[in-house]
Amino acid sequence: MSVYGFAITIALSGINLATTRIVAEEIAVGKKNVVTIVAKDGSGFYGTKTAKFELTGVKLTADKFEVSGIADAVYTGEAIEQSELVVNDKRAEAPVALVEGEDYEVAYAKNINVGTATVTVKGINAFTGTLKKTFKIAAIDASAEGAVVKVNIPKQTYTGKKLTPAAEITVNGVALTTKD
């Protein structure tokens, strides 16, 4: 659960707020919110006052938030995501971790093939803005000690002509394609 929330403080000059009742629908970041202050019976006050306001989220910026746990990876033939990704709020005395799905969403780009992949962290609910980080996807080293290379060439029938069979090649259990 996210540690972030917000409280509304209403300050009216010379009025004891204990004599009022505050009525509000769901209050949310990024929407027009309405709050109504209603005088309590016997308080010496009468009537209501309605105020409209909009809460803005805290913008994710590199100087206030840190994305960590991003590690380079080796090609697997499938989308690679970062299982150790953490987003910390650096504004607090001790860093506070944001909660994925409550405070931010994560999206990936170019995270399948060898090259540079991008992680985008997008603020949601009480947060806005985006932070981007990159990681490298390295090629599989088929010549490395301990690498297991398997080549499967289906049986061919001699036809008297040149044959070009489709070979199935795996390195450490990862199937290579003609792009590899």
Side-chain angles (χ1 to χ4, degrees):
M1 176 171 203
S2 178
V3 296
Y4 288 91
F6 49 86
I8 296 175
T9 302
I10 299 175
L12 299 173
S13 179
I15 297 176
N16 178 353
L17 292 180
T19 63
T20 62
R21 179 170 51 94
I22 299 172
V23 179
E25 295 295 322
E26 177 184 344
I27 295 175
V29 174
K31 88 172 216 190
K32 303 286 186 206
N33 297 283
V34 177
V35 65
T36 302
I37 303 166
V38 182
K40 288 184 182 176
D41 289 339
S43 67
F45 298 98
Y46 67 91
T48 63
K49 177 66 179 172
T50 300
K52 296 179 182 181
F53 62 96
E54 184 174 349
L55 292 175
T56 56
V58 176
K59 187 171 185 175
L60 298 179
T61 58
D63 61 321
K64 296 177 186 170
F65 296 89
E66 174 184 49
V67 178
S68 60
I70 305 290
D72 290 343
V74 176
Y75 175 80
T76 64
E78 298 188 17
I80 297 173
E81 297 185 355
Q82 298 290 324
S83 62
E84 302 295 321
L85 184 132
V86 177
V87 180
N88 282 314
D89 185 342
K90 299 189 300 187
R91 299 171 303 160
E93 216 172 278
V96 176
L98 275 62
V99 178
E100 184 174 355
E102 289 184 28
D103 300 321
Y104 67 92
E105 297 173 333
V106 179
Y108 293 88
K110 299 183 178 181
N111 63 326
I112 297 175
N113 295 316
V114 172
T116 301
T118 302
V119 180
T120 301
V121 174
K122 178 184 176 196
I124 59 173
N125 296 323
F127 297 90
T128 64
T130 59
L131 294 170
K132 292 187 178 196
K133 290 287 190 176
T134 60
F135 64 95
K136 303 279 186 209
I137 300 175
I140 297 173
D141 184 356
S143 64
E145 186 175 327
V148 177
V149 179
K150 293 182 180 178
V151 179
N152 180 29
I153 300 174
K155 288 186 177 184
Q156 305 294 308
T157 303
Y158 179 70
T159 62
K161 298 180 182 178
K162 178 180 174 183
L163 296 175
T164 309
E168 296 170 2
I169 303 171
T170 60
V171 179
N172 295 337
V174 176
L176 303 182
T177 67
T178 55
K179 294 179 192 175
D180 301 324

